[in-house]
Amino acid sequence: QKEVEQNSGPLSVPEGAIASLNCTYSDRGSQSFFWYRQYSGKSPELIMFIYSNGDKEDGRFTAQLNKASQYVSLLIRDSQPSDSATYLCAPSGSARQLTFGSGTQLTVLP
Amino acid sequence: EAGVAQSPRYKIIEKRQSVAFWCNPISGHATLYWYQQILGQGPKLLIQFQNNGVVDDSQLPKDRFSAERLKGVDSTLKIQPAKLEDSAVYLCASGTVKGQGNGYTFGSGTRLTVV
């Protein structure tokens, strides 16, 4: 069983729509959860983190966490073509190391 | 603040040759990580340092990979001898040990091609 599973996509949404990215994890000891965005040919950049159950909003991004279900998601509202990238989910382990999923490739169509 | 510096940006070598990558973390960051990212996959942790000590190297193929972090600052990752399957981007990241929300910052990576 993979430690971190993401819907692999590719996921296509029209400009202005909501993009929903999902992630499940196996390590119940994970405390913090990070979302990174990776443009093609570039390195990952941090866009959101969450460590409490519920929702956390930052601009057009909302992270949702349900530790009982071992599930974390990222919603992108009013999607823009510039949001087209691969989104990586990464729970944090006990030594603060991040374990990455394989990522979901998102394409926002103009 | 300056970001994580890595060099070289690209490297092409033949199988069985050796190669080394260099990383300079963000000033003051105690933790340093080396990740391997194969095309189409997420980054995979190879080794984690805190200051100049190894925290986790459980996924480092120690028969061919080695890494060091002298004086708790710069780090080098070496592969000897290289195999075709080592073709990947090698990412260095650094972070702090304070707070729950401190994800880490990646460098621009070194793209290795083994032919």
Side-chain angles (χ1 to χ4, degrees), chain A residues 34 36 38 43 49 95-96 98 101, chain B residues 35 37 42 48 99 101 103-104 107:
Chain A
F34 297 82
Y36 281 77
Q38 187 171 30
S43 57
F49 73 90
R96 302 178 65 87
L98 300 186
Chain B
Y35 279 82
Q37 187 172 25
Q48 176 187 357
Y104 32 83

Side-chain angles (χ1 to χ4, degrees), chain B residues 54-103:
Chain B
V54 175
V55 174
D56 184 355
D57 64 356
S58 58
Q59 299 190 82
L60 187 72
K62 298 180 186 63
D63 58 334
R64 298 185 300 107
F65 286 65
S66 64
E68 61 181 5
R69 188 182 185 194
L70 299 176
K71 300 182 181 179
V73 183
D74 292 7
S75 177
T76 57
L77 176 70
K78 297 179 181 178
I79 307 175
Q80 183 180 13
K83 293 184 175 182
L84 296 177
E85 59 260 36
D86 297 332
S87 294
V89 176
Y90 290 84
L91 295 162
C92 178
S94 70
T96 68
V97 294
K98 299 177 181 178
Q100 293 198 42
N102 290 315

Side-chain angles (χ1 to χ4, degrees), chain A residues 67-107:
Chain A
K67 290 185 179 180
S69 300
Q70 295 176 255
Y71 174 87
V72 59
S73 66
L74 180 70
L75 300 178
I76 306 174
R77 292 183 301 281
D78 188 24
S79 296
Q80 301 297 309
S82 59
D83 295 326
S84 298
T86 295
Y87 289 80
L88 299 161
C89 169
S92 175
S94 57
R96 302 178 65 87
Q97 72 274 54
L98 300 186
T99 299
F100 287 87
S102 56
T104 298
Q105 184 179 342
L106 172 67
T107 300

